[in-house]
Amino acid sequence: MTTVGQIAATAFDAVAAQITDAIKAATLTYITRGAYDYATGLYAETETTVSGRSIVDRTQPVRDIFPDYVVGPNENLFLLEGFPVVPRENYILTIGGVRNSVKRVQDILGTGALQYVVALEVPE
């Protein structure tokens, strides 16, 4: 049986073959909390970075996917594929050296294979 992840990967591969600058390599960076350290009063934190692919979607109105969200001037809608995790709010999505803070996420079909995200460009 073909999975959503396989269909998404095949679609991204086909687009990348036909439109060479449409699909971009991307990373997601996030912090995971570990054990609590009683001596310092802090939790251990680990930064994790994972890779996948992204495309900026400038044709789909954000309100169609996130009807309760008002998009700001430095925010974009991205379609993500190939990440081993589903992004969450405040993860950092980096594409071509540009850092974006994830503000909203929709996991398409709840499969963990393909997501729409609204992300705000983080000023340097």
Side-chain angles (χ1 to χ4, degrees):
M1 174 183 253
T2 305
T3 67
V4 171
Q6 291 168 325
I7 294 168
T10 300
F12 268 60
D13 290 345
V15 169
Q18 296 297 315
I19 309 169
T20 56
D21 61 344
I23 305 294
K24 305 287 185 191
T27 60
L28 282 171
T29 304
Y30 58 97
I31 304 294
T32 334
R33 266 192 178 180
Y36 182 74
D37 183 337
Y38 289 96
T40 64
L42 302 170
Y43 286 91
E45 292 185 341
T46 303
E47 184 177 274
T48 303
T49 300
V50 295
S51 297
R53 298 187 288 182
S54 174
I55 187 167
V56 178
D57 188 341
R58 289 190 166 81
T59 61
Q60 179 77 21
V62 173
R63 70 181 173 277
D64 287 354
I65 299 167
F66 301 97
D68 62 338
Y69 189 73
V70 178
V71 179
N74 293 327
E75 292 178 311
N76 286 299
L77 180 65
F78 297 93
L79 183 61
L80 305 182
E81 181 273 330
F83 289 94
V85 298
V86 174
R88 294 185 182 180
E89 289 181 17
N90 299 317
Y91 279 22
I92 298 298
L93 173 65
T94 304
I95 302 166
V98 178
R99 293 168 39 93
N100 300 274
S101 178
V102 174
K103 299 301 175 190
R104 292 290 185 272
V105 177
Q106 182 183 89
D107 184 18
I108 298 171
L109 298 175
T111 63
L114 192 63
Q115 299 86 31
Y116 264 120
V117 301
V118 174
L120 171 65
E121 187 175 329
V122 178
E124 292 294 320

